[in-house]
Amino acid sequence: MNLVFLGPPGSGKGTQAARLSGKAGVLHLSTGDLLREAVKNGTELGQQAEGYMSRGELVPDDLIVGLIENKLTAGELDKGFILDGFPRTVPQAEALKTMFTKNDMGLDHAVLIAVGDEEIVRRLSGRWFCPTCQRTYSYPANQPKVEGICDDDGTKLQRRKDDEEDVVRNRLDVYKKQTQPIEDFYRNESLLVEIDGEDSPDNVFAAIEKAVG
Ligand code: AMP
């Protein structure tokens, strides 16, 4: 199973990718998670990426393509994968295609989880996470038992800096300008499957499973 998940921020693609990777036993690779980890650890990559991320902009293609290329050449993608948050631009999609051709690999599907703008802003402004265990919460559907406190370890919950409303609007703008064109890229390659992401999480998951077989 070799998949990429596409969709605007807050479409639920991270949650769905994690659920599918757990069930299918394949690697779930989220470039957003890798970058947040790099920022937290203060690595060179983290220092280069931090400013772009806090403004809701994309980090430069060469940084992120290099990151994926390292994983691929280390054999980490050999047993199947779900790429979540990559590719994000047409040049990234082209670079991925070139990497796959060189390594005799290919994609089975590009899964697009479609959600409208207002729903995205509503969802992201209710999203919180635990800085200790990384568990995420969302109001009102999946809220902690005690307001603002992680159920698992009692840590005070935080918002992602890039979930503030003005940054969310910018991320949506960036998505439309830079990421949406890759929907056509994968449509032309007959790889795109489109899922209604405004349905309940269980129904979205069922639709994804059906679409990817
Ligand atoms: P995400 O968690 O996927 O929403 O990603 C959070 C942030 O990380 C994005 O707003 C970008 O700044 C950066 N990022 C993640 N993946 C990529 C990518 N493939 N290309 C460029 N920037 C990315």
Side-chain angles (χ1 to χ4, degrees), residues 31-32 35-36 53 57-59 85-86 88 92 160 171:
T31 45
L35 290 171
R36 276 184 290 279
M53 293 174 77
E57 294 167 11
L58 296 183
V59 308
F86 179 91
R88 273 291 228 289
Q92 289 181 17
R160 271 174 55 173
R171 287 164 70 201

Side-chain angles (χ1 to χ4, degrees), residues 48-206:
Q48 287 167 316
E50 193 170 12
Y52 297 101
M53 293 174 77
S54 63
R55 291 188 298 272
E57 294 167 11
L58 296 183
V59 308
D61 286 336
D62 54 344
L63 281 186
I64 207 87
V65 168
L67 194 69
I68 298 293
E69 198 154 24
N70 288 343
K71 304 258 171 211
L72 191 143
T73 47
E76 291 183 33
L77 305 189
D78 287 355
K79 295 203 177 94
F81 57 83
I82 302 174
L83 296 182
D84 160 15
F86 179 91
R88 273 291 228 289
T89 63
V90 172
Q92 289 181 17
E94 283 165 347
L96 185 65
K97 189 175 171 188
T98 307
M99 273 184 242
F100 282 157
T101 308
K102 258 197 237 157
N103 290 276
D104 216 9
M105 292 168 73
L107 275 184
D108 298 316
H109 301 283
V111 179
L112 168 65
I113 305 184
V115 178
D117 291 1
E118 289 316 310
E119 174 66 11
I120 294 296
V121 174
R122 196 185 65 77
R123 284 185 187 182
L124 293 189
S125 49
R127 185 159 87 167
W128 295 77
F129 78 100
C130 170
T132 304
C133 69
Q134 309 302 319
R135 179 168 170 185
T136 55
Y137 296 88
S138 53
Y139 288 79
N142 158 35
Q143 58 191 60
K145 294 193 185 87
V146 179
E147 168 126 21
I149 302 293
C150 179
D151 290 351
D152 293 340
D153 52 35
T155 308
K156 196 163 182 280
L157 300 179
Q158 292 181 2
R159 307 268 312 260
R160 271 174 55 173
K161 269 195 217 127
D162 58 356
D163 280 348
E164 302 297 335
E165 182 163 342
D166 52 339
V167 183
V168 168
R169 298 253 174 219
N170 192 33
R171 287 164 70 201
L172 270 176
D173 223 37
V174 166
Y175 182 81
K176 285 202 180 121
K177 289 199 185 105
Q178 293 178 265
T179 305
Q180 220 157 32
I182 61 180
E183 292 173 13
D184 277 338
F185 178 92
Y186 286 123
R187 201 171 275 121
N188 290 338
E189 306 239 322
S190 304
L191 290 173
L192 192 78
V193 291
E194 197 164 339
I195 307 289
D196 173 8
E198 295 201 20
D199 210 337
S200 71
D202 285 346
N203 286 350
V204 172
F205 187 69

Side-chain angles (χ1 to χ4, degrees), residues 10-69:
S11 57
K13 65 180 171 3
T15 309
Q16 297 291 350
R19 188 166 167 187
L20 185 61
S21 83
K23 192 160 175 188
V26 299
L27 176 76
H28 170 207
L29 200 64
S30 155
T31 45
D33 285 350
L34 289 177
L35 290 171
R36 276 184 290 279
E37 189 66 24
V39 170
K40 198 167 126 198
N41 295 333
T43 65
E44 198 185 328
L45 173 68
Q47 288 171 20
Q48 287 167 316
E50 193 170 12
Y52 297 101
M53 293 174 77
S54 63
R55 291 188 298 272
E57 294 167 11
L58 296 183
V59 308
D61 286 336
D62 54 344
L63 281 186
I64 207 87
V65 168
L67 194 69
I68 298 293
E69 198 154 24

